[in-house]
Each structure stands twice: as structure tokens, then as C-alpha cells.
């Protein structure tokens, strides 16, 4: 059974206003042809260039790994500071604690975790990922809180480490929501859960916006992390 998506109708054909009469890829240095459309050529980039943008959000770099420097050092420092704030019951981590409690409540919603319902709305999709970590994979809640806070902390403290905003969004989705594992968000033709696959850029942008809003560090916490990094330089 196909269940309806909440909001946003599905487009059935490409918008012809984006047809490109020249037919060449807009990426400088690439001479590949574009896909054919009724009024010329459709799109801005050829398939290989489009695929790279979808996978990495940029042409000249990949989505950073949490094992790369300086991302790894920032990630470790944020986790350490956040754990200390939790032990001290400091108000600077109260927002993250609130998000964790909300995620636990929403994880009990009827249908959360079901791939058929994953794309009902953007907020439902976000909690589909949260449910996967907390319930399906049974991650330790505090460890998951520290991880999400640290990933967002990397973006806050090192924005110049991302070539584009799309790459930043993909980093938050792949390294944050995709913590060790990604859930199925659709079904195959035989009605079994399909592998997650790529993050569509529109979806990645919206999820990243919500993730940042949920796990953003306060200015006082950022100062503590900055001091910790300076000590270890």
C-alpha cells in the first residue's frame, strides 16, 4: 500500500524553463553533454558532475571524514567539553538534553521507523533518523547526544573547512544522522526496505537546517571548546 506524503506534490516532468540550448556542462573544464529535453538540453551539469555535487556538494573536494584533521581534533574537543558540562549539570548543555528527551518521546510515535512513512514530512523524516539511532540500533543516548553535538560543533567552529553550504549540509547528514548506520527511507518493488542510498540535496539542506537548530552549541560552550583546542595546539 502506498501512503500519501504530507505536503509537496510530486513533479511529473522537468521544468522546460531550465532547458539549456547550448547542451554543454556548466562546470568549467568539463566538455560533456547534458541530458536531452523537449526544448534542447535539460539541466546545468552533465551526469558525472551532477553525481559529484550530489555525493559531495562540491567539485573539488569530498565530504570530510571525522578522522581527518582538523575535523577530528575539533570533534574530540567538543565531545570532551560536552561530557564535562553534562557531569556538571551545566545549563549550556540544556538544549541538547531537551532535544534528546524530545527524540525519545517522538520515537514512540505510531509509524516512526517505518520506511513507508519516512518521507511524510521533513520533521517526520528527521525523527525517522533519530529513531534509527536510539531504538533500532540502540545507541547509548548520552553517546549519541555527544556525537550529534560534536558534529554540529565542527560546523560551528570550522565553517571554512567546507567548500560549499551543500557540502556542509551533507557533512551533517552523513557524519551526523548517518552515525555508523543509515535507515531505509523507501521500499523496493517487492515491498521490502531498500538501502538508504544518496541524500538528495534538497533533503540534505532541510535536514541539516533542522539538525543545526537542534544541536547548536551556546557561545559559552564554544568558548570552552576553543580554549581546549588552544591548550592542545
Amino acid at each position: 500500500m502506498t501512503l500519501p506524503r504530507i505536503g509537496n506534490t510530486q513533479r511529473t516532468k522537468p521544468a522546460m524553463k531550465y532547458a539549456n540550448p547550448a547542451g554543454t556542462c556548466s562546470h568549467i573544464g568539463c566538455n560533456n553533454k547534458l541530458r536531452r529535453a523537449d526544448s534542447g538540453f535539460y539541466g546545468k551539469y552533465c551526469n558525472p558532475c551532477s553525481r559529484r555535487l550530489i555525493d559531495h556538494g562540491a567539485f573539488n573536494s569530498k565530504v570530510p571524514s571525522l578522522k581527518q584533521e582538523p575535523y577530528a581534533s575539533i570533534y574530540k574537543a567538543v565531545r570532551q567539553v560536552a561530557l564535562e558540562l553534562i557531569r556538571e549539570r551545566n545549563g549550556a548543555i540544556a538544549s541538547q538534553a531537551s532535544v534528546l528527551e524530545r527524540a525519545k518521546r517522538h520515537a514512540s510515535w505510531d509509524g516512526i521507523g517505518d520506511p513507508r512513512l519516512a518521507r511524510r514530512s521533513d520533521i517526520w523524516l528527521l525523527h525517522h533518523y533519530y529513531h534509527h539511532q536510539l531504538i533500532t540500533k540502540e545507541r547509548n543516548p548520552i553517546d549519541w547526544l555527544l556525537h550529534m553535538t560534536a558534529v554540529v560543533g565542527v560546523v560551528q567552529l570550522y565553517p571554512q573547512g567546507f567548500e560549499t553550504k551543500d557540502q556542509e549540509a551533507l557533512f551533517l547528514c552523513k557524519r551526523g544522522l548517518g552515525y555508523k548506520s543509515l535507515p531505509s527511507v523507501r521500499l523496493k518493488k517487492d515491498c521490502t526496505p531498500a538501502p538508504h542510498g544518496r541524500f538528495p540535496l534538497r533533503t540534505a539542506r532541510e535536514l541539516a537546517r533542522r539538525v543545526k537548530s537542534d544541536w547548536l552549541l551556546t557561545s559559552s560552550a564554544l568558548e570552552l571548546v576553543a580554549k581546549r583546542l588552544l591548550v592542545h595546539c
Side-chain angles (χ1 to χ4, degrees), residues 12-164:
T12 58
K13 62 181 180 179
M16 288 298 105
K17 65 180 180 180
Y18 295 116
N20 179 347
T24 55
C25 181
S26 297
H27 180 206
I28 297 174
C30 178
N31 297 315
N32 289 339
K33 287 288 185 179
L34 304 180
R35 289 180 295 154
R36 271 284 184 183
D38 293 343
S39 55
F41 293 88
Y42 176 69
K44 188 174 182 181
Y45 301 109
C46 65
N47 283 350
C49 289
S50 295
R51 187 63 54 83
R52 186 162 185 88
L53 283 179
I54 293 170
D55 285 344
H56 300 291
F59 291 120
N60 302 315
S61 60
K62 294 184 177 182
V63 175
S65 165
L66 290 175
K67 295 181 180 179
Q68 291 176 238
E69 292 294 347
Y71 310 94
S73 295
I74 299 172
Y75 175 83
K76 181 180 178 181
V78 175
R79 280 190 67 115
Q80 290 173 344
V81 169
L83 182 58
E84 290 172 5
L85 292 174
I86 290 173
R87 288 171 175 166
E88 296 169 1
R89 297 175 182 259
N90 193 302
I93 203 73
S95 176
Q96 281 79 358
S98 176
V99 171
L100 176 59
E101 290 305 311
R102 188 191 73 204
K104 287 179 178 179
R105 289 196 307 272
H106 289 189
S108 65
W109 284 358
D110 185 31
I112 282 286
D114 188 338
R116 296 175 302 169
L117 301 175
R119 298 184 180 275
R120 293 187 73 195
S121 67
D122 292 324
I123 189 65
W124 191 283
L125 181 60
L126 177 68
H127 281 281
H128 182 78
Y129 287 102
Y130 287 178
H131 175 277
H132 180 71
Q133 296 295 335
L134 289 171
I135 306 301
T136 306
K137 291 300 180 181
E138 299 180 335
R139 307 292 187 205
N140 179 287
I142 298 301
D143 180 66
W144 180 67
L145 179 152
L146 294 174
H147 172 78
M148 294 301 296
T149 303
V151 170
V152 173
V154 171
V155 171
Q156 285 184 267
L157 287 159
Y158 192 48
Q160 64 271 32
F162 303 93
E163 190 174 335
T164 64

Side-chain angles (χ1 to χ4, degrees), residues 153-218:
V154 171
V155 171
Q156 285 184 267
L157 287 159
Y158 192 48
Q160 64 271 32
F162 303 93
E163 190 174 335
T164 64
K165 286 294 182 182
D166 282 344
Q167 189 172 83
E168 180 184 293
L170 287 168
F171 176 81
L172 291 170
C173 291
K174 291 184 175 184
R175 309 301 179 231
L177 296 176
Y179 182 38
K180 297 183 180 179
S181 173
L182 282 166
S184 174
V185 294
R186 59 189 176 86
L187 298 180
K188 292 187 287 188
K189 290 182 179 179
D190 60 1
C191 295
T192 57
H196 183 277
R198 294 176 169 84
F199 279 98
L201 286 180
R202 193 214 71 84
T203 301
R205 291 167 191 145
E206 181 59 27
L207 286 173
R209 184 183 70 80
R210 293 180 181 277
V211 167
K212 285 178 74 173
S213 175
D214 278 354
W215 304 99
L216 213 61
L217 285 166
T218 63

